[in-house]
Amino acid sequence: MPERRRIHRGTSKPSRHGGTNREYLAQGRRFRPFVTPRRTGSEGTFMKIGIIGAGNIGGNLTRRLTALGHDVSVANSRGPHTLTALAEETGATPVTAEEAARGAEIVVVTVPLKAVPDLPSNLFADAAEGFALIDTNNYYPQQRDGRIAAIEDDGLTESRWIERHLGHPVIKVFNGTYAEDILDRPLPAGDPERMALPVAGDDEVAKKTVRALIDQLGFDTVDAGGIDESWRQQPDTPVYGLRAGVEAVTKALAEASPERPATFRG
């Protein structure tokens, strides 16, 4: 189903999980990594994580990260009062966007690309020093975002465009991941069927932090290079939506073309 493959990524893919973390465990699925996380935060075992955007990716990351024991704050464009159900289900704290980043060691921005310029200009003023910023987004000019000249005419990668608006280096990951896979496909390290996710970014320290978190979530990672190379994981590339391991993901990244396909031009 090509159209499903093209547009149902990032904030667009519906989740099959509608219950609480405890109910989800009780279903007896193959999913195993609901365990106490290893030491990854700068201040201790658990990290403070802010998630801006509570769609399918943001919602499922909230579910998994709270289940792992992290201190998660979550925000959306409609206000904390609309996140009561998610908060009750997960134990996350519903907040405003500015509050989501306050003290956070990792911030996840998972709003529609066209909404990025509307985020508050002082969004990260109170984030933890050296925090890592995750960008999960994709540019869908025909389906959602409209034409953006800086991406199409000036040749900026989608994440470089986002980075310039946010004023902080980003780590691009989860943009080609089905939201449901965050719940349904985690596996322990070493499992031959474990999925790998491409991770791009210029800040090597932040990238290391994010890759460790993804390992905790139950996925392998492949270093996809810097943000100027992140076109290798943009929509309609071989790795986009690929459910495979490290070897196949590495091969798919190498086979990508920098030419933007017609279906993803405005």
Side-chain angles (χ1 to χ4, degrees):
M1 294 184 289
E3 283 304 309
R4 181 170 181 258
R5 180 176 185 273
R6 286 181 179 132
I7 66 173
H8 291 305
R9 299 293 187 277
T11 58
S12 303
K13 187 69 176 73
S15 166
R16 292 198 297 261
H17 171 40
T20 64
N21 289 316
R22 183 172 295 179
E23 289 167 348
Y24 186 68
L25 281 170
Q27 293 174 22
R29 299 192 191 185
R30 192 171 176 219
F31 171 72
R32 282 174 282 176
F34 278 99
V35 296
T36 302
R38 295 184 295 277
R39 179 177 295 272
T40 56
S42 60
E43 299 300 327
T45 302
F46 308 121
M47 284 190 288
K48 183 169 176 53
I49 299 174
I51 299 179
I52 300 171
N56 297 308
I57 289 286
N60 284 353
L61 283 175
T62 299
R63 292 179 176 96
R64 288 299 325 286
L65 291 169
T66 52
L68 286 168
H70 294 290
D71 179 3
V72 179
S73 296
V74 60
N76 65 7
S77 61
R78 296 176 295 155
H81 66 283
T82 65
L83 295 170
T84 302
L86 181 62
E88 290 177 349
E89 174 190 342
T90 64
T93 304
V95 293
T96 65
E98 295 94 332
E99 292 169 333
R102 185 173 297 160
E105 296 171 86
I106 292 181
V107 179
V108 183
V109 172
T110 181
V111 302
L113 185 140
K114 66 179 180 180
V116 168
D118 298 327
L119 291 172
S121 59
N122 62 342
L123 188 57
F124 309 121
D126 296 322
E129 184 177 356
F131 76 98
L133 176 58
I134 292 175
D135 160 37
T136 75
N137 226 311
N138 294 304
Y139 173 48
Y140 299 130
Q142 297 179 25
Q143 300 93 340
R144 182 190 65 192
D145 299 315
R147 190 178 192 279
I148 297 176
I151 293 175
E152 298 203 35
D153 300 337
D154 300 341
L156 292 183
T157 60
E158 298 164 4
S159 287
R160 183 66 78 194
W161 182 86
I162 288 172
E163 185 177 270
R164 291 186 179 183
H165 279 283
L166 296 179
H168 190 86
V170 303
I171 305 298
K172 186 180 186 75
V173 67
F174 297 116
N175 71 291
T177 305
Y178 286 104
E180 63 191 40
D181 289 352
I182 294 170
L183 299 180
D184 293 349
R185 289 180 176 261
L187 289 170
D191 191 299
E193 295 185 18
R194 201 185 204 211
M195 278 179 55
L197 308 182
V199 183
D202 299 332
D203 184 332
E204 293 300 326
V205 174
K207 187 187 287 185
K208 182 179 179 180
T209 298
V210 170
R211 293 180 73 179
L213 184 69
I214 294 168
D215 175 59
Q216 220 183 85
L217 285 166
F219 301 94
D220 287 332
T221 58
V222 173
D223 192 330
I227 288 301
D228 288 336
E229 289 289 307
S230 63
W231 53 265
R232 294 182 183 276
Q233 65 195 76
Q234 290 177 173
D236 219 29
T237 57
V239 81
Y240 180 74
L242 181 64
R243 288 163 161 161
V246 169
E247 184 177 352
V249 167
T250 301
K251 182 174 183 288
L253 288 167
E255 293 174 346
S257 168
E259 183 177 353
R260 183 173 295 278
T263 48
F264 289 95
R265 292 199 300 265

